[in-house]
Amino acid sequence: MAAALAGLRVLGCGSRAAGAAHSAPWRLPRARQHGGQVQLLIRLSGAGGRYFSSEVKSEDDLRVRYLEGEQQGADLKERAKMHPSEVGPFVSKARALMNEFANLPMPTIAALDGAALGGGLEMALSSDIIVAASSAKMGLVETKLAIIPGAGGTQRLPRAVGVALAKELIFSARVLDGNEAKSIGLVSHVVEQNDEGDAAYKRAVALALEFISQGPIAMRMAKLAINQGIEVDLATGLAIEEACYAQVIPTKDRIEGLLAFKEKRPPRFKGE
């Protein structure tokens, strides 16, 4: 799966993040928090990562960082050399990475400009929103190798497209392009690829710029309410929403939002 992440970038949308992130193979770096949001930089299998920031004035002003897949992921040649006793722990680490990524408090956007196969698509499915170029290729192709998706794919794909269609896609190891993925609801946005090969990334950045002006605590609570509420019955979900709403009531940002509306000016949220 050396090319499984070759076309994947993941944006983490935060506010006033501070601190540097470091990483190791199949580990999600724990960055320090500031203002209620997390700064994100992921690297897989020792490959290099780069970052984009929408408003770089100082390290404290970083708003968006991304993972860019460049020949990252699990190399099948290396996997073939693994002893059977090593495979289970390896996949467990991959699953833990996806779970930790899915549980990040800030919104995340996966941008697919190339290939996201197997683990690459599993990471994209762990994001909140997926944007794809029309020429992108994605699929859970593990059954071709006589294995199954092991980093969350069998659980997250049915939640994204429905049980029957997820079974069809996994059983057939089918690879979809961006338009096909959009037609079944696997991705939220599809864009025509440009000459630079980064059309999905640019669309994802535009989405991120819409997100970062909102109240950071409200963003965290909204994501938490949705993620937890979707897994339970409606009555329990409404109770979760009530609990999350209670967290924003005492914040300074809520008062700032009301004042900004009254004074007809942009709010200056601080994550407090």
Side-chain angles (χ1 to χ4, degrees):
M1 282 176 18
L5 281 160
L8 172 67
R9 302 179 183 185
V10 180
L11 302 175
C13 313
S15 174
R16 295 184 60 80
H22 304 279
S23 60
W26 290 114
R27 286 191 62 194
L28 181 64
R30 293 186 177 276
R32 290 182 290 172
Q33 298 190 30
H34 181 82
Q37 295 291 56
V38 178
Q39 175 179 306
L40 173 66
L41 172 60
I42 305 174
R43 295 177 179 174
L44 296 180
S45 300
R50 294 187 296 158
Y51 72 86
F52 165 84
S53 173
S54 64
E55 298 183 40
V56 180
K57 296 178 181 178
S58 68
E59 186 71 5
D60 192 48
D61 285 328
L62 281 174
R63 296 298 184 93
V64 180
R65 282 197 156 189
Y66 73 83
L67 157 70
E68 179 175 8
E70 296 175 344
Q71 297 301 313
Q72 302 175 18
D75 192 312
L76 286 179
K77 293 181 180 179
E78 294 180 4
R79 291 284 297 274
K81 298 176 183 178
M82 285 185 178
H83 188 274
S85 64
E86 298 177 299
V87 176
F90 177 85
V91 175
S92 293
K93 289 179 181 179
R95 189 180 304 114
L97 168 71
M98 304 307 177
N99 288 339
E100 192 168 353
F101 181 66
N103 290 325
L104 284 170
M106 86 285 272
T108 53
I109 308 168
L112 308 184
D113 275 306
L117 305 174
L121 182 55
E122 286 179 305
M123 172 158 277
L125 286 166
S126 300
S127 303
D128 297 314
I129 298 168
I130 304 176
V131 180
S134 56
S135 59
K137 301 297 181 183
M138 65 201 80
L140 296 180
V141 297
E142 286 85 351
T143 53
K144 282 187 176 181
L145 304 173
I147 57 176
I148 70 171
T154 65
Q155 303 306 304
R156 292 192 174 95
L157 185 61
R159 285 166 167 78
V161 302
V163 173
L165 186 52
K167 287 179 178 178
E168 179 180 335
L169 293 173
I170 291 173
F171 294 167
S172 63
R174 189 177 303 158
V175 176
L176 306 175
D177 63 27
N179 288 315
E180 292 169 327
K182 177 66 167 64
S183 71
I184 64 172
L186 178 55
V187 306
S188 299
H189 301 272
V190 62
V191 292
E192 291 298 318
Q193 188 56 280
N194 57 28
D195 293 338
E196 291 75 27
D198 63 354
Y201 167 65
K202 288 181 177 177
R203 181 69 180 95
V205 170
L207 275 176
L209 292 173
E210 290 184 51
F211 296 167
I212 61 174
S213 61
Q214 317 308 326
I217 298 175
M219 296 275 279
R220 288 169 49 209
M221 290 300 103
K223 178 172 177 174
L224 183 63
I226 294 169
N227 284 358
Q228 293 193 357
I230 201 68
E231 301 294 341
V232 298
D233 62 88
L234 179 60
T236 305
L238 291 172
I240 292 170
E241 180 185 79
E242 181 179 13
C244 289
Y245 197 103
Q247 297 300 307
V248 304
I249 293 174
T251 64
K252 294 179 181 178
D253 280 351
R254 185 181 71 88
I255 303 302
E256 166 61 15
L258 294 173
L259 286 174
F261 179 79
K262 180 181 179 180
E263 298 170 4
K264 299 181 180 181
R265 60 171 175 78
R268 295 183 289 270
F269 297 125
K270 298 181 178 179
E272 299 175 354

